[in-house]
PDB file of all heavy atoms in Angstrom:
ATOM      1  N   GLY A 112      -2.589  18.774  -5.330  1.00  0.00           N
ATOM      2  CA  GLY A 112      -3.830  18.024  -5.472  1.00  0.00           C
ATOM      3  C   GLY A 112      -3.654  16.640  -4.871  1.00  0.00           C
ATOM      4  O   GLY A 112      -2.863  16.461  -3.926  1.00  0.00           O
ATOM      5  N   TRP A 149      -0.202   4.959  -3.370  1.00  0.00           N
ATOM      6  CA  TRP A 149       0.112   3.951  -2.355  1.00  0.00           C
ATOM      7  C   TRP A 149      -0.920   4.087  -1.238  1.00  0.00           C
ATOM      8  O   TRP A 149      -1.046   5.149  -0.630  1.00  0.00           O
ATOM      9  CB  TRP A 149       1.528   4.150  -1.807  1.00  0.00           C
ATOM     10  CG  TRP A 149       1.830   3.263  -0.638  1.00  0.00           C
ATOM     11  CD1 TRP A 149       1.626   1.922  -0.546  1.00  0.00           C
ATOM     12  CD2 TRP A 149       2.379   3.667   0.639  1.00  0.00           C
ATOM     13  NE1 TRP A 149       2.013   1.458   0.695  1.00  0.00           N
ATOM     14  CE2 TRP A 149       2.471   2.501   1.437  1.00  0.00           C
ATOM     15  CE3 TRP A 149       2.786   4.890   1.158  1.00  0.00           C
ATOM     16  CZ2 TRP A 149       2.959   2.545   2.736  1.00  0.00           C
ATOM     17  CZ3 TRP A 149       3.276   4.922   2.452  1.00  0.00           C
ATOM     18  CH2 TRP A 149       3.368   3.759   3.227  1.00  0.00           C
ATOM     19  N   GLU A 162     -17.723   8.096  -7.578  1.00  0.00           N
ATOM     20  CA  GLU A 162     -17.652   7.252  -6.388  1.00  0.00           C
ATOM     21  C   GLU A 162     -18.507   5.998  -6.513  1.00  0.00           C
ATOM     22  O   GLU A 162     -18.098   4.911  -6.080  1.00  0.00           O
ATOM     23  CB  GLU A 162     -18.066   8.051  -5.152  1.00  0.00           C
ATOM     24  CG  GLU A 162     -17.890   7.264  -3.857  1.00  0.00           C
ATOM     25  CD  GLU A 162     -18.103   8.100  -2.626  1.00  0.00           C
ATOM     26  OE1 GLU A 162     -18.487   9.277  -2.750  1.00  0.00           O
ATOM     27  OE2 GLU A 162     -17.890   7.565  -1.517  1.00  0.00           O
ATOM     28  N   PHE A 239      29.327  -8.724 -18.887  1.00  0.00           N
ATOM     29  CA  PHE A 239      30.022  -7.486 -18.504  1.00  0.00           C
ATOM     30  C   PHE A 239      29.898  -7.305 -16.990  1.00  0.00           C
ATOM     31  O   PHE A 239      29.002  -6.608 -16.510  1.00  0.00           O
ATOM     32  CB  PHE A 239      29.419  -6.285 -19.239  1.00  0.00           C
ATOM     33  CG  PHE A 239      29.407  -6.432 -20.733  1.00  0.00           C
ATOM     34  CD1 PHE A 239      28.235  -6.822 -21.383  1.00  0.00           C
ATOM     35  CD2 PHE A 239      30.548  -6.211 -21.481  1.00  0.00           C
ATOM     36  CE1 PHE A 239      28.216  -6.962 -22.751  1.00  0.00           C
ATOM     37  CE2 PHE A 239      30.532  -6.345 -22.862  1.00  0.00           C
ATOM     38  CZ  PHE A 239      29.363  -6.729 -23.504  1.00  0.00           C
TER      39      PHE A 239
END
Side-chain angles (χ1 to χ4, degrees):
W149 172 49
E162 185 172 5
F239 305 100

